[in-house]
Amino acid sequence: MTTLSERISQSAFDGSRLRVVLLLDLHDGAQQEFLTAYEHMRHQVASVPGHISDQLCQSIENPSQWLITSEWESAPPFLAWVNSEAHLDTVKPLHDCVRDTRSFRYSILRETGGVNAPAERTRAGAFQAAPRVGDGVVRHALTFTVRPGSEEKVAAILADYASPEARVDDTTRLRRTSLFLHGNRVVRTVEVQGDLMAALRHVARQPEVRAVEEALNPFLEQDRDLDDPQSARTFFTRAALPSVHHLATRGAPHGDVERRALLYPARPGCGMALARLLAQQDEAAAEDPAGLVDSSTVFQRDDIVVRLVDVRGPLDSDPLLAAAARGPRKAAVLARLLDLDALGVGDCGDDTDFALSLLHRAEMRLVTDRRAA
């Protein structure tokens, strides 16, 4: 029998220290320009709350290959930083120097200090308690807004396109893409078996996807030029909606569950706390093997939080659980973290009424849900 801890294949909320690894391939002759830009950037990063240390390394074999590693007290402060406008401005000077980048993020499980290591470098701190049991699937999302009044045209574009080739290479393939609308906000979630970045690059090169992106351009609230690498990079960086918690399925047949998505706009500065609460609520709900929620993924960026859930039955069959508001004072805590005005949720009588109103206002419209063959 699969335990709850084994079903939590991803979480930014376990308190463990975080190691971030950034591999960079520089343009020929750009080494000194890159180093100058990094010298300016590293002092800004050092002042970010939660940052512990940074190292810049250059390959001893290929001078165009560089490595930046950084350590953080935990994942939430890093995610708050990397998803901010301040981060975009800070790293912009590096873009002209870099041909390609690859980013990796790891929770620290163990640390061994050499016998000759200085005492101050052997830090006590939080470690991930045990290795996570995953299924090799990585989840990611993008979100952006379209011009009000264009929602039906956008929905038609997103629902009617040829699916790209699922196979990326021998180890990576696209598994599932789900697209949702809430007002004029689009959320696109993807599931990838293998290397997420390889899959995203593969998708971007597909003519079917490029045609869809070009068709969307006139309706976007944020202008972009896909032929301009800087413009495209800025758009997709701002649109990224990272997964911060995933509770894996209990292994039920596909036909037994339905995919739903809920948009939870947070009060300013409360996005991470809201995402943590939703993750905790789904973990508590998972203790019931016959419960409504089979699996869930929480995505969060700034004050935008999306909860993707695969459920057994209608959401209103268990509104408190479906809205992540079950338990003593949980609805009140959720209400304090949410931007209720943005959702149009008023002052409801009791917890169940609040949950029903929240579900009605927060549920996103499913545009398309595609599984690879």
Side-chain angles (χ1 to χ4, degrees), residues 227-338:
D227 293 323
D228 177 358
Q230 179 65 36
S231 174
R233 181 188 298 113
T234 299
F235 178 86
F236 286 109
T237 299
R238 286 188 173 131
L241 189 63
S243 168
V244 294
H245 189 273
H246 178 66
L247 178 71
T249 181
R250 293 191 290 261
H254 286 160
D256 197 28
V257 296
E258 292 185 3
R259 174 148 292 187
R260 305 291 183 90
L262 300 164
L263 176 67
Y264 294 79
R267 293 181 186 272
C270 294
M272 188 63 73
L274 176 56
R276 185 193 304 269
L277 175 65
L278 298 178
Q280 292 170 343
Q281 286 290 89
D282 282 338
E283 288 181 20
E287 297 283 10
D288 179 3
L292 179 70
V293 176
D294 181 69
S295 65
S296 74
T297 306
V298 179
F299 301 92
Q300 182 261 334
R301 179 191 181 93
D302 297 329
D303 298 323
I304 301 170
V305 184
V306 171
R307 178 166 162 257
L308 186 72
V309 286
D310 289 335
V311 295
R312 303 169 182 273
L315 295 181
D316 58 8
S317 65
D318 193 340
L320 290 172
L321 190 149
R326 176 188 280 181
R329 297 194 54 77
K330 295 301 183 185
V333 174
L334 186 58
R336 285 200 299 271
L337 295 173
L338 282 168

Side-chain angles (χ1 to χ4, degrees), residues 57-343:
C57 310
Q58 185 178 21
S59 169
I60 63 174
E61 298 168 335
N62 183 344
S64 294
Q65 293 179 348
W66 293 62
L67 170 71
I68 299 175
T69 69
S70 61
E71 189 172 337
W72 297 75
E73 292 175 359
S74 61
F78 167 75
L79 293 172
W81 158 245
V82 79
N83 292 327
S84 67
E85 288 294 317
H87 175 262
L88 268 177
D89 292 338
T90 300
V91 302
K92 190 177 294 182
L94 302 179
H95 290 159
D96 291 339
C97 310
V98 177
R99 180 185 294 114
D100 190 28
T101 62
R102 290 172 63 83
S103 179
F104 305 91
R105 303 162 187 183
Y106 300 90
S107 293
I108 299 177
L109 277 83
R110 302 288 186 272
E111 184 175 65
T112 303
V115 294
N116 297 317
E120 65 270 17
R121 293 194 60 186
T122 306
R123 289 184 302 272
F127 296 93
Q128 183 177 311
R132 299 201 184 280
V133 179
D135 55 5
V137 176
V138 184
R139 293 158 185 87
H140 187 65
L142 294 171
T143 185
F144 51 87
T145 55
V146 297
R147 301 184 191 281
S150 68
E151 293 88 352
E152 293 309 314
K153 292 179 181 178
V154 168
I157 292 170
L158 294 174
D160 185 23
Y161 69 95
S163 297
E165 170 61 40
R167 184 180 182 276
V168 177
D169 54 38
D170 290 342
T171 59
T172 300
R173 67 189 300 269
L174 303 172
R175 294 218 334 178
R176 189 170 184 176
T177 301
S178 307
L179 280 148
F180 300 90
L181 268 173
H182 188 282
N184 69 328
R185 178 167 295 281
V186 176
V187 172
R188 176 192 296 161
T189 70
V190 295
E191 294 181 2
V192 173
Q193 185 92 34
D195 187 332
L196 174 64
M197 293 309 299
L200 294 181
R201 290 187 178 97
H202 164 81
V203 169
R205 292 192 297 264
Q206 303 305 301
E208 310 92 334
V209 174
R210 179 61 183 249
V212 170
E213 298 292 347
E214 293 287 359
L216 287 175
N217 278 344
F219 306 111
L220 298 176
E221 286 200 311
Q222 179 190 341
D223 292 333
R224 68 179 180 187
D225 180 358
L226 294 176
D227 293 323
D228 177 358
Q230 179 65 36
S231 174
R233 181 188 298 113
T234 299
F235 178 86
F236 286 109
T237 299
R238 286 188 173 131
L241 189 63
S243 168
V244 294
H245 189 273
H246 178 66
L247 178 71
T249 181
R250 293 191 290 261
H254 286 160
D256 197 28
V257 296
E258 292 185 3
R259 174 148 292 187
R260 305 291 183 90
L262 300 164
L263 176 67
Y264 294 79
R267 293 181 186 272
C270 294
M272 188 63 73
L274 176 56
R276 185 193 304 269
L277 175 65
L278 298 178
Q280 292 170 343
Q281 286 290 89
D282 282 338
E283 288 181 20
E287 297 283 10
D288 179 3
L292 179 70
V293 176
D294 181 69
S295 65
S296 74
T297 306
V298 179
F299 301 92
Q300 182 261 334
R301 179 191 181 93
D302 297 329
D303 298 323
I304 301 170
V305 184
V306 171
R307 178 166 162 257
L308 186 72
V309 286
D310 289 335
V311 295
R312 303 169 182 273
L315 295 181
D316 58 8
S317 65
D318 193 340
L320 290 172
L321 190 149
R326 176 188 280 181
R329 297 194 54 77
K330 295 301 183 185
V333 174
L334 186 58
R336 285 200 299 271
L337 295 173
L338 282 168
D339 185 345
L340 296 179
D341 290 338
L343 277 176

Side-chain angles (χ1 to χ4, degrees), residues 34-49 51-57 66-72 81 86-87 89-94:
F34 172 79
L35 185 58
T36 301
Y38 174 79
E39 283 295 325
H40 176 70
M41 181 188 79
R42 71 187 182 98
H43 296 294
Q44 294 177 282
V45 178
S47 66
V48 176
H51 177 268
I52 296 174
S53 66
D54 250 64
Q55 282 188 331
L56 174 66
C57 310
W66 293 62
L67 170 71
I68 299 175
T69 69
S70 61
E71 189 172 337
W72 297 75
W81 158 245
H87 175 262
D89 292 338
T90 300
V91 302
K92 190 177 294 182
L94 302 179

Side-chain angles (χ1 to χ4, degrees), residues 1-11 109 128 130-137 139 246-249:
M1 179 179 177
T2 304
T3 65
L4 174 60
S5 62
E6 290 175 326
R7 290 181 60 197
I8 303 170
S9 61
Q10 178 194 359
S11 181
L109 277 83
Q128 183 177 311
R132 299 201 184 280
V133 179
D135 55 5
V137 176
R139 293 158 185 87
H246 178 66
L247 178 71
T249 181

